[in-house]
Amino acid sequence: MTERKPPGVSWETWADKQIREAEGRGEFASLPGAGKPLPSLDAPYDELWWVRGKMQREGLSALPPSLVLRKQAEDAEQAAMQAATEAQVRRIVGEINDRLREALRRPPEGPPLGRGLFDAEQVVADWQAARAEQAAQAAAQAPPPEPEAPVKGRRGGLFRRRRPA
């Protein structure tokens, strides 16, 4: 849009012409999100929609650091229960305990943290109990083994045909 609006042409006509020409050159064909619905089309009106979008894209949080750490601790506890191995459980608990230890040493801004360190042995015991319960439920829901089919031999079955002698 480097050219100026010619005198005597209405703004709407001039803008429509610019858009039509750009569309003809294919300048709108490769835009990100082309052919997709707007992500916030059904969302209620929010005056600060652009601020929230920018914060989400930048990975920022509007929560105080103490509440963010509380949320991370809850997420870590759930992740530990979903872990595949005991080593993963211990690694997850160790990482969150390091963050909690630092927060207890130097309290972050915001409301009090309100939680202590995780007991790694207790979390591992809970994880093992949950795994054992899942295994028991899976065994209870498994269909019973099918009876073996009778083996056909040379002798035949109950209603065998007699051979003439």
Side-chain angles (χ1 to χ4, degrees):
M1 243 164 98
T2 57
E3 64 183 78
R4 302 188 87 149
K5 180 183 92 59
V9 178
S10 71
W11 280 105
E12 184 177 354
T13 306
W14 182 71
D16 288 340
K17 179 183 174 219
Q18 295 288 323
I19 292 171
R20 196 172 38 258
E21 288 174 356
E23 207 170 38
R25 291 188 302 267
E27 292 182 17
F28 299 132
S30 62
L31 292 175
K36 297 178 186 168
L38 296 173
S40 60
L41 192 59
D42 295 330
Y45 177 71
D46 181 13
E47 290 181 4
L48 299 175
W49 63 270
W50 64 275
V51 174
R52 294 185 203 289
K54 178 73 171 170
M55 289 179 71
Q56 184 178 15
R57 285 190 304 275
E58 297 294 325
L60 301 174
S61 174
L63 292 175
S66 60
L67 294 181
V68 170
L69 187 56
R70 260 194 230 176
K71 177 71 171 120
Q72 288 174 347
E74 291 173 8
D75 293 346
E77 191 172 19
Q78 290 176 354
M81 289 299 138
Q82 301 298 321
T85 65
E86 183 177 331
Q88 287 178 342
V89 173
R90 290 186 184 278
R91 182 186 51 79
I92 292 168
V93 170
E95 288 174 0
I96 194 65
N97 274 347
D98 290 342
R99 290 188 213 139
L100 289 170
R101 199 173 289 114
E102 183 62 31
L104 292 172
R105 194 174 300 126
R106 284 192 213 121
E109 295 178 21
L113 187 57
R115 79 160 299 123
L117 300 176
F118 285 102
D119 179 10
E121 298 304 320
Q122 182 61 45
V123 174
V124 167
D126 293 344
W127 175 79
Q128 289 172 340
R131 298 273 295 201
E133 185 178 323
Q134 288 173 353
Q137 287 178 354
Q141 292 177 354
E146 294 183 22
E148 293 183 21
V151 179
K152 291 187 178 180
R154 295 186 92 211
R155 297 195 140 226
L158 184 61
F159 301 104
R160 65 183 177 146
R161 185 181 220 175
R162 292 192 175 211
R163 294 186 187 174

